[in-house]
Amino acid sequence: MIHKYTIPGTVNLDGHKCFNNPDTYDDFHGDLIKFQTNLIDLVDNKVSATFYKFGDGDYRFLKGISVGSAKPGNRALSKPYSEINLELHNNNAQKCDYYTCEIYPENRKEFREVIKREIDYPAEYGYGLVGNKWLTKTFKGKIGVIGAQPKLELIQKLLEYNEYKDYLGLDKFEDYIYFPQKFAADNLDKLETIIKPQLERSTADIFLLGIGHAKSGILYKFKQFKSVVYLDVGGGIDMLAGCINTKRPYAGAWINFRLRNFDYSTIDYMNYNKGNEKYL
């Protein structure tokens, strides 16, 4: 990877050729600073905003293509596309405030096809700023997480250890908002009854979230439940839970802290490669 696409405090083992092409993205470092400044300003000024992270799986979901995580029965859906209101998911996906996407040219092309605009920031910023702990250190005392309940419970257990607290630069997350680990996109009305009361009781000023394809249908609405910043970091939640594939973007230096007596069979892994493990 050429220096142009580095993020301080991280290692990127993603072998995509775009990271060796200086023409892939114009001002990667300059826009990273703008992204960080934007987040700080939003939180400090108590401006609510939603950041939607787009990936190739979201493209397949919004197009109704039964492949990978978008295939009914795998993760987002338990029922076929013919039994959900896919148009509603597509319409709601247009309603967020900011959009991030990996700088892969093919992903940005897919993004433009379904979201019909240009991205605001590279999704790599979210991965990298979890990976170098900038987010947890910068928003210490203000930050919560939204994700699958088993992963969030694991994060809570990891944060019982001082070594992990020191690693993240915080003692705890202010709120843990539990999201269904599977099939969350089946029924948006039911999903709202799960998420709304949790957010209404929350105290955090910014949330990191990784909620799969159901975000297309409901993320824009989080601001109605609680007026704060919602940053979709996708696999960044897997970093925090100690189960990230270190070949995912900007995860190469991340330490996967693990618990010796935890039942990891409850965790829905995303191609975990057991890289950089350290047991507590």
Side-chain angles (χ1 to χ4, degrees), residues 35-43 51 134-135 139 229 231:
F35 178 72
Q36 292 170 291
T37 301
N38 191 11
L39 286 177
I40 292 171
D41 288 345
L42 289 170
V43 173
F51 289 75
W134 181 87
L135 284 163
F139 299 109
V229 175
L231 176 61

Side-chain angles (χ1 to χ4, degrees), residues 155-196:
I155 293 169
Q156 287 174 274
K157 290 183 180 295
L158 286 166
L159 280 168
E160 293 175 4
Y161 293 83
N162 288 332
E163 186 174 357
Y164 194 54
K165 292 177 183 179
D166 292 342
Y167 185 67
L168 293 188
L170 50 65
D171 290 331
K172 64 183 179 68
F173 288 101
E174 301 307 301
D175 297 286
Y176 296 85
I177 307 299
Y178 297 147
F179 203 86
Q181 182 163 243
K182 285 195 173 185
F183 312 139
D186 280 359
N187 186 320
L188 291 177
D189 290 335
K190 180 180 178 181
L191 184 58
E192 181 173 331
T193 67
I194 296 171
I195 302 305
K196 182 179 179 181

